[in-house]
Amino acid sequence: MTPDLVLFDCDGVLVDSEPVTNALLVENLAARGLQVSHDRVIDLLVGGTIAGVAKTARGLGATLEDNWVDLIYAEMFARLATEVTAIPGAIESLDALDAAGIPYAVCSNGPHAKMEITLTRCGIASRLAGRIYSCEDVPNPKPAPDVYLKAAADAGIAPANCAVVEDSPSGARAGKAAGMRTLGFTADTDPTRLTPICDDVFDDMRALPGLLGLTSK
């Protein structure tokens, strides 16, 4: 069934920011007494919040400044502003949705300030104006469904008629809790982590228009 609204996660779905932020976190936490592997950082970060990373890292023995969240965001924004790129196929998927007249929005656990940097650098921000949602806009972050339900309500579209595109178990659970068809993007995520949660999984964003029932151009 072709949805009436498509809701995208941001990091790892539209913008390829996670390699940049993951590498930064490995370096930053090592300097603060916590040696973590790239895979462990993915478990800590993907689909969560930086405040959640701070809490977990402190519990594992990292010595973090009281304002570490602000510090790491400042470093992250500086790197993303020069290094982030769009996920291959993301722009084409948005083009296909535009051609089909299907609206879309972004729903992220990240802050608006971060999305302004990444989406602007990737040339996506202007086409999403007024349709960019953050956990800052709702009471609870993913895996709660709040951000997805707000985007659907603002668009006046029933959750059952929406599709969610996610790359993390936390985000996928949010989509399902919202009562929406949830598609798991597995290019950089172990499919076994998303398959039990999602309605479908796929590993190439160029396949998304077909999964949504859109006619190929």
Side-chain angles (χ1 to χ4, degrees), residues 36-129:
V36 290
S37 67
H38 175 78
D39 288 344
R40 179 59 173 144
V41 163
I42 291 175
D43 289 339
L44 289 175
L45 178 64
V46 174
T49 63
I50 289 295
V53 172
K55 181 178 180 179
T56 301
R58 287 190 176 104
L60 294 172
T63 303
L64 305 184
E65 299 90 337
D66 290 342
N67 64 337
W68 181 81
V69 169
D70 293 332
L71 295 174
I72 194 66
Y73 267 132
E75 288 188 60
M76 188 185 300
F77 293 172
R79 288 201 187 183
L80 290 171
T82 60
E83 298 179 26
V84 72
T85 58
I87 291 288
I91 303 296
E92 293 85 349
S93 290
L94 298 184
D95 290 343
L97 288 167
D98 284 337
I102 297 173
Y104 48 85
V106 169
C107 300
S108 175
N109 262 357
H112 280 287
K114 180 182 177 185
M115 286 188 281
E116 181 178 354
I117 291 168
T118 58
L119 293 171
T120 298
R121 175 170 164 80
C122 293
I124 304 174
S126 60
R127 68 199 296 174
L128 284 160

Side-chain angles (χ1 to χ4, degrees), residues 125-214:
S126 60
R127 68 199 296 174
L128 284 160
R131 294 175 289 162
I132 300 174
Y133 295 88
S134 163
C135 69
E136 296 170 330
D137 302 321
V138 293
N140 302 295
K142 303 172 190 176
D146 300 24
V147 70
Y148 284 125
L149 292 174
K150 177 173 175 54
D154 285 357
I157 295 174
N161 296 330
C162 299
V164 164
V165 185
E166 272 285 356
D167 72 326
S168 74
S170 175
R173 290 188 183 97
K176 293 301 293 182
M180 300 175 180
R181 181 187 177 202
T182 301
L183 306 177
F185 181 53
T186 61
D188 293 311
T189 304
D190 183 345
T192 63
R193 300 183 67 203
L194 291 177
T195 299
I197 306 168
C198 297
D199 297 293
D200 284 296
V201 297
F202 65 109
D203 62 7
D204 188 334
M205 194 56 67
R206 286 165 290 228
L208 180 62
L211 289 172
L212 296 176
L214 307 184

